[in-house]
Amino acid sequence: MCAKNSNTAQMFIHTPTPDQAFETVLPKPEFDAAVAEIVTWEGYAPTSCNNLSAMAVDLNLGAIHYKDESSRFGLGSFKALGGAYAAAKLLHRELSKAGHDVSLSDITVGRARNLCAKVTLVSATDGNHGRSLAWGAGRFGAACRIYIHKEVSEGRALAMEELGATVIRIDGDYDASVHLARDEAEANGWFVISDTSWEGYRETPGHVMAGYGVMMDELQGQLAEAPTHLFVQGGVGGLAAAVAARARQNWGETTPKIVVVEPDLAACLYASGQTGVRTSVALEEETLMAGLSCGEPSEMAWEILNEETTAFMTVPESQVAPIMRLLAYPQGQDQAITAGESAIAGLAGVHAAAQQDEWRKALELGRESRVLVIGTEGATDPAIYNRLVGLAPCAEKQMEGA
Ligand SMILES: Cc1ncc(COP(=O)(O)O)c(C=O)c1O
């Protein structure tokens, strides 16, 4: 299948058939363990959840809650939760296998740096996952090699180098960088810390996804009741699957309807929903939403999303800058928010759905609906943010602090 650029959002209802994947693919104890570990890390603080009441009124919805991941561990995105945790788990496994008596926290507080230095961690990334891995590897003392594709911005490459990673730029797309990282790791005895899973490679991406559970657990204390809808953006689907699974574990019967939103230029989950099986799409053009530029769904993510998703949507490139601006220069008393290009896809989906009667009806979206979106990144590339939005006051503040 081929990804196509269009001018309008697309959506179809995918009648979910909830079964046990939310528990068997990502078991509750795995989430619990990840959350218990990550909240002890130096620099941990829950991210805010903003109530965008003026926007909700404007869209004729009950509420829009925006979980703002821009401050996560000072790294700018929710990805800080996944790669670093999975790196710690792998280092613990490998050092234990080699006969060293170290605990997970020996690794995460840096007490096992000398031992970790013998291990090389590698990954492909379009920015945020690599930043998380580079940060974790730096903290724990492991060597880190990050593979990026030709369209990854210089700003994002530099951010990973500054965290101590060796960055290798290739001449292909994201999926090609995933394959190269895999091949070189195999040839050299390095370890892949990937946020996507494939046949036979599930343990580490499972840890990455378990780390994302922190956001959902924080929301339990931040929302008075479960949201009715969760619009969440998809790259390989790890984020969407993790939040869908943890939402069901936390909220049970009252779990929100899950709407997965992708750029139309990289809609592999949408294609999978249409065919009913995990389906890849060829990326012909890079989307502005760099973190979502993935053509192959994660195997584990698809197993969950196939059961949990109510609707799949795509949003066009033309929506990116307007939604970023809407958050930077909000209506009424809404909080000004600095949202990067990949942060806004879910919210772009909310706007598209709320403005069409047919889609409102299909999704049971109305004045009583409490919609949750995850603002997955801040201005992770300030130059791109500046080009698309200009320097909004909130962005200036964030960039000063970066
Ligand atoms: C900011 C941002 N949002 C969303 C995603 C999508 O996550 P996933 O690839 O797990 O679907 C990414 C992935 O890199 C990202 O960087």
Side-chain angles (χ1 to χ4, degrees), residues 78-79 126 128 195 212 233-239 291-292 294 342 376-377:
F78 80 103
K79 287 264 161 180
D126 28 39
N128 291 326
D195 55 355
Y212 301 160
Q233 47 274 45
V236 298
L239 163 71
L292 311 183
C294 313
S342 300
T376 46
E377 67 175 354

Side-chain angles (χ1 to χ4, degrees), residues 112-127:
R113 291 185 70 82
N114 290 347
L115 296 172
C116 291
K118 298 183 185 126
V119 181
T120 299
L121 306 175
V122 311
S123 188
T125 187
D126 28 39

Side-chain angles (χ1 to χ4, degrees), residues 120-122 145 147 181 184-192:
T120 299
L121 306 175
V122 311
R145 294 171 64 84
Y147 295 76
E184 295 210 343
E186 217 170 276
N188 293 288
W190 301 331
F191 295 91
V192 176

Side-chain angles (χ1 to χ4, degrees), residues 87-130:
K89 290 286 285 181
L90 183 131
L91 288 165
H92 185 231
R93 185 191 76 195
E94 289 306 310
L95 295 183
S96 303
K97 243 200 237 169
H100 300 290
D101 183 18
V102 288
S103 66
L104 188 61
S105 56
D106 285 335
I107 290 165
T108 56
V109 301
R111 267 198 302 268
R113 291 185 70 82
N114 290 347
L115 296 172
C116 291
K118 298 183 185 126
V119 181
T120 299
L121 306 175
V122 311
S123 188
T125 187
D126 28 39
N128 291 326
H129 171 69

